[in-house]
């Protein structure tokens, strides 16, 4: 069942998404080689709870233990923050969710420490660019497959990277995961028709090597089978009259990335 949202409900989702974005921006401001996932996670949780009534959206969701999913290098998504210190060659895909005023917000960004190589930085650019190529296809009467196909075509045909098949984007609202599924691969003109009021999280997960993934022993973290790096960017967006409204905000995250000399400056090309 697809729940279409009223404009009032979309504003509440935007509020949750903006808190997610501010949390990711806060994370961007404290990242440096040597910090641990646990430290970042605690900072994020405090930041969210400082907003009255807001709670971390992922913590205890299906038993997930933390506020953030922090997935380093070959980890694709659902990484659990640990006491291990990050090094200056790591990339971190950080996914954050907030539940506030009965609605969820969901967004993710991949960060790079200063000595990450150019090849991996290109993977980050490509993944981020594919997110916006997908978002461009969102409008009333278009199909979910149009979004999926835009992402897949760019990543697999043009960039020769791989799209993860097992994990997909999703509708979002009063529940973290609602219908429809939003795969990052698919055919133009297929899938659910997007209607005004639909709110979806679009989240390409892109592997530098092969598309295959496996679950690691901790029971959560999804990693690439070939051990090569993977990147993840996510926005929550609403279908509105005439097009799309991006409810989460990466510009404030990118600004903090730029201001923090301990991480590699990484901003959108397109
Ligand atoms: Mg997410
Ligand atoms: Mg999501």
């Amino acid at each position: 069942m697809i729940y279409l949202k009223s404009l009032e409900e979309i504003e509440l989702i935007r509020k949750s998404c903006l808190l997610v974005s501010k949390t990711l921006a806060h994370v961007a401001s404290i990242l440096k080689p040597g910090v641990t996932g646990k430290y970042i996670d605690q900072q994020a949780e405090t930041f969210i709870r400082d907003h009255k009534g807001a709670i971390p959206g992922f913590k205890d969701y299906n038993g997930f233990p933390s506020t953030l999913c922090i997935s380093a290098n070959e980890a694709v998504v659902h990484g659990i923050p640990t006491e291990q210190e990050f090094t200056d060659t790591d990339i971190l895909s950080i996914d954050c969710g907030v539940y506030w005023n009965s609605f969820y917000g969901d967004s993710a960004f991949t960060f790079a420490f200063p000595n990450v190589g150019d090849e991996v930085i290109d993977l980050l650019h490509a993944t981020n660019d594919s997110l916006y190529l997908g978002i461009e296809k969102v409008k009333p009467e278009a199909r979910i497959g149009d979004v999926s196909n835009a992402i897949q075509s760019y990543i697999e045909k043009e960039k020769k990277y791989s799209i993860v098949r097992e994990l997909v984007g999703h509708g979002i609202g009063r529940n973290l995961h609602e219908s429809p599924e939003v795969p990052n691969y698919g055919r133009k003109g297929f899938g659910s028709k997007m209607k005004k009021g639909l709110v979806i999280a679009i989240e390409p997960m892109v592997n530098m090597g092969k598309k295959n993934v496996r679950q690691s022993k901790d029971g959560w973290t999804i990693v690439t089978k070939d051990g090569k790096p993977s990147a993840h960017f996510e926005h929550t967006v609403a279908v509105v009259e005439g097009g799309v409204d991006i409810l989460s905000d990466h510009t404030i995250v990118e600004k903090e990335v730029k201001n923090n000399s301990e991480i590699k400056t990484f901003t959108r090309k397109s």
Side-chain angles (χ1 to χ4, degrees):
M1 163 119 192
I2 293 178
Y3 299 99
L4 299 178
K5 280 80 182 178
S6 67
L7 288 175
E8 290 76 19
E9 289 172 325
I10 289 174
E11 287 315 307
L12 290 174
I13 299 173
R14 189 195 311 279
K15 200 174 170 191
S16 298
C17 287
L18 284 180
L19 181 51
V20 168
S21 304
K22 285 178 187 168
T23 307
L24 288 174
H26 177 64
V27 164
S29 75
I30 59 169
L31 279 181
K32 58 181 178 184
V35 295
T36 68
K38 268 254 159 75
Y39 171 76
I40 301 166
D41 190 65
Q42 282 158 2
Q43 291 282 317
E45 179 166 2
T46 304
F47 188 89
I48 291 167
R49 291 190 192 276
D50 278 347
H51 296 74
K52 196 170 178 291
I55 59 170
F58 299 164
K59 200 165 190 174
D60 300 325
Y61 183 85
N62 290 339
F64 190 76
S66 50
T67 293
L68 301 175
C69 299
I70 304 182
S71 310
N73 305 317
E74 76 280 8
V76 180
V77 286
H78 303 167
I80 299 173
T82 70
E83 294 291 0
Q84 198 180 324
E85 292 180 3
F86 297 119
T87 74
D88 63 357
T89 57
D90 287 338
I91 58 167
L92 303 181
S93 297
I94 302 188
D95 196 348
C96 182
V98 158
Y99 183 69
W100 202 11
N101 301 310
S102 305
F103 286 91
Y104 282 92
D106 188 6
S107 181
F109 196 95
T110 302
F111 300 91
F113 286 117
N115 285 325
V116 170
D118 291 344
E119 276 190 355
V120 178
I121 294 294
D122 186 71
L123 174 74
L124 269 50
H125 275 299
T127 308
N128 195 33
D129 288 345
S130 77
L131 169 60
Y132 290 93
L133 291 171
I135 290 172
E136 273 177 20
K137 301 293 177 191
V138 175
K139 61 181 177 190
E141 304 306 307
R143 301 264 181 180
I144 291 290
D146 302 343
V147 176
S148 309
N149 185 262
I151 295 169
Q152 184 183 18
S153 301
Y154 179 67
I155 290 298
E156 294 193 338
K157 289 209 185 96
E158 204 168 323
K159 297 300 297 187
K160 311 292 181 202
Y161 297 133
S162 307
I163 291 286
V164 172
R165 301 298 199 272
E166 288 83 348
L167 298 136
V168 297
H170 49 93
I172 180 168
R174 290 182 188 273
N175 306 290
L176 180 57
H177 296 118
E178 296 184 355
S179 290
E181 290 195 338
V182 185
N184 300 300
Y185 58 95
R187 292 168 68 187
K188 249 184 247 180
F190 285 76
S192 309
K193 209 178 248 184
M194 293 182 271
K195 301 273 183 207
K196 230 176 13 170
L198 178 70
V199 179
I200 50 175
I202 303 177
E203 48 179 317
M205 288 151 262
V206 178
N207 296 350
M208 178 170 263
K210 296 208 160 58
K211 65 179 186 296
N212 312 69
V213 296
R214 64 177 175 82
Q215 192 168 52
S216 72
K217 279 186 210 131
D218 65 20
W220 279 104
T221 316
I222 304 297
V223 297
T224 59
K225 261 193 186 160
D226 61 14
K228 292 189 178 164
S230 185
H232 180 214
F233 288 85
E234 175 181 29
H235 269 309
T236 296
V237 308
V239 183
V240 294
E241 184 80 50
V244 63
D245 187 352
I246 305 178
L247 304 179
S248 39
D249 181 7
H250 281 177
T251 63
I252 59 173
V253 183
E254 289 163 353
K255 198 173 148 204
E256 290 303 329
V257 168
K258 219 173 208 169
N259 287 341
N260 181 352
S261 58
E262 302 277 4
I263 48 178
K264 201 150 191 166
T265 301
F266 167 69
T267 44
R268 215 181 320 149
K269 279 184 204 158
S270 49

